[in-house]
Amino acid sequence: MIVFGHTPTHRMGAAPGEIWIRPDRIGIDTGAKHGLRLTLVDLTCRKSYSCSTKEKGTYTDFRMAAWGKNEGCEN
């Protein structure tokens, strides 16, 4: 599995502020610098956590998303 940033995920076809996922690659640059989202991923449980970086409401819009099978992890 390769996890990378620096290339905004929306340029690879993901919705703005969402991670980009392929079977062997995950793009996590969800546009924090540009007022979209700051994102981290938990590879063990296949979950992403993100919050808004918009000037108004910075860090107040928390989201969690899961992908694939995440057996043995809390939902």
Side-chain angles (χ1 to χ4, degrees):
M1 176 64 64
I2 298 170
V3 180
F4 64 94
H6 191 67
T7 302
T9 57
H10 69 89
R11 291 187 182 171
M12 296 181 293
E18 299 295 326
I19 63 175
W20 178 87
I21 302 172
R22 294 297 179 269
D24 60 349
R25 294 170 283 167
I26 300 175
I28 63 170
D29 184 339
T30 53
K33 178 182 175 185
H34 303 288
L36 291 174
R37 304 197 66 77
L38 175 65
T39 301
L40 66 89
V41 295
D42 173 349
L43 296 175
T44 301
C45 292
R46 298 181 185 197
K47 293 182 182 182
S48 67
Y49 302 88
S50 69
C51 61
S52 175
T53 59
K54 290 182 181 178
E55 193 170 320
K56 279 192 167 186
T58 301
Y59 311 128
T60 60
D61 175 19
F62 177 77
R63 294 183 194 165
M64 190 279 299
W67 73 92
K69 294 180 182 180
N70 52 3
E71 297 172 8
C73 295
E74 291 183 26
N75 290 326

